[in-house]
Amino acid sequence: MCAAGPGLPPVAPSAAPAEFYTLMAEIARTREEPRIAALSYAAAARADAQLWPRAARVAADSLQPTLAYAAAQNWIRLEPRSVAARRVAAAAALSLYDPDASAANYRVVISEAGGGDAAFAPVEDDLLAADDPYAARQVADHLAAFFPAS
């Protein structure tokens, strides 16, 4: 903690940068500047690790797969069993034409969701929405080998 000035309460040194970048990101979102919003949330998350989930989601929503994948990896370090983090990472990896990384993350999504039919539905939705049907098919083949009853 550092002093904010005479008579003012102490301020955490990292609070200002995260707040600044978060505010910048939200302004960028309202101005329909998704890349700036995604980059700003990533900068905020570097100052406050609790913002990695928001940074990953904003990057994914902004169609920034490289940034979404990196942010999701940081989110996974923070919450290793997070299904949402793994799903963002898997979808981003698929967009980056990395079917192995995508399948590895989708395996965790399916396993953490119990492996039943309901666990496969969001993965199927993601694969059907993929830009590259060939990469999506490769991911599906990886998953079929790992979950033969699917």
Side-chain angles (χ1 to χ4, degrees):
M1 299 294 234
C2 62
L8 296 175
V11 176
S14 66
E19 289 172 356
F20 170 77
Y21 287 115
T22 301
L23 179 61
M24 204 163 91
E26 287 303 320
I27 290 170
R29 285 173 50 91
T30 62
R31 292 184 177 173
E32 298 182 12
E33 295 285 346
R35 180 165 171 71
I36 293 171
L39 290 168
S40 296
Y41 262 113
R46 283 191 283 283
D48 179 358
Q50 298 303 313
L51 292 172
W52 283 119
R54 181 76 174 141
R57 288 186 181 111
V58 169
D61 292 345
S62 301
L63 304 177
Q64 301 294 321
T66 303
L67 187 55
Y69 187 75
Q73 291 302 313
N74 283 301
W75 182 6
I76 290 166
R77 280 189 209 77
L78 197 63
E79 301 174 36
R81 298 187 67 176
S82 171
V83 171
R86 294 291 183 156
R87 190 166 174 208
V88 170
L94 183 59
S95 292
L96 295 169
Y97 310 105
D98 188 348
D100 294 332
S102 182
N105 282 291
Y106 278 131
R107 274 197 309 265
V108 175
V109 168
I110 293 165
S111 296
E112 288 294 322
D117 290 343
F120 288 93
V123 174
E124 181 180 7
D125 292 342
D126 289 353
L127 295 178
L128 289 172
D131 291 334
D132 182 0
Y134 177 72
R137 180 59 194 207
Q138 285 182 303
V139 172
D141 289 345
H142 283 291
L143 294 173
F146 197 79
F147 299 102
S150 65

